[in-house]
Amino acid sequence: MDKVWFKKRLTFLGGLTIILVLLQLINSLFTISLLQWGIIPRTGEGLIGIFIAPFIHGSWSHLFSNLLPLLILSFLSMTQSLREYVLSSIFIIIVSGLLVWIFGRSAIHVGASGWIFGLWSLLIAHAFTRHKIIDIIIALFVLFYYGSMAYGLIPGQLGVSTESHIAGVVAGLLYAWCARKLIRRKSQVVEVAK
């Protein structure tokens, strides 16, 4: 890991932190509530929330409970490539948001937890789909330090969008599966071209 590699990732994560904090500041200081831009299942206006909801939080405590796991799991997801992290994050945000919009209970769903659970499941899945030593080490670290996140998949917790958690896990696993298929297809094309 050289300085440029490390600096790029820290700058990216710093920018992400600033965006999340600024949005929460706006939500706290102004009369307009950003919560209206969350995912509202099966409504036309709730569709826009698929793209916005992961960046909006219900309170400062909600934001701070999500911020550290998001930053750590994001950093671990960036070890291969920053581009890969961005692509997987976009995929997880859209797919998990869409699942919540289709299957979620009638409520306003906000917060980065779906994204967090998506990264969590993706990092674990990489150990099985990519078979690289670094992926296995990261998966073991994630299971050791964040294994208790599995409790977040149990429905019935007050004020918690379990739907977002489950949808995030599904999206992360789906991305890992799609990425593996794509890599296999590319390697077959290379073999045919030889």
Side-chain angles (χ1 to χ4, degrees), residues 6-20:
F6 199 71
K7 191 178 177 183
K8 260 187 194 177
R9 280 145 183 83
L10 279 187
T11 303
F12 191 96
L13 293 174
L16 178 60
T17 303
I18 289 166
I19 289 167
L20 293 171

Side-chain angles (χ1 to χ4, degrees), residues 5 9 13 69-81 85 119 123 126 130 134-135 137-139 141-142 145-146:
W5 184 96
R9 280 145 183 83
L13 293 174
L70 178 63
L71 294 177
I72 291 170
L73 295 173
S74 290
F75 182 78
L76 292 172
S77 298
M78 293 174 179
T79 53
Q80 294 285 322
S81 122
Y85 164 73
L119 293 173
L123 288 167
H126 276 332
R130 297 202 298 209
I134 186 68
D135 292 317
I137 292 167
I138 288 171
F141 174 85
V142 168
Y145 282 100
Y146 291 104

Side-chain angles (χ1 to χ4, degrees), residues 130-152:
R130 297 202 298 209
H131 308 293
K132 292 181 181 176
I133 292 294
I134 186 68
D135 292 317
I136 294 166
I137 292 167
I138 288 171
L140 289 171
F141 174 85
V142 168
L143 282 169
F144 184 76
Y145 282 100
Y146 291 104
S148 61
M149 278 178 57
Y151 290 115

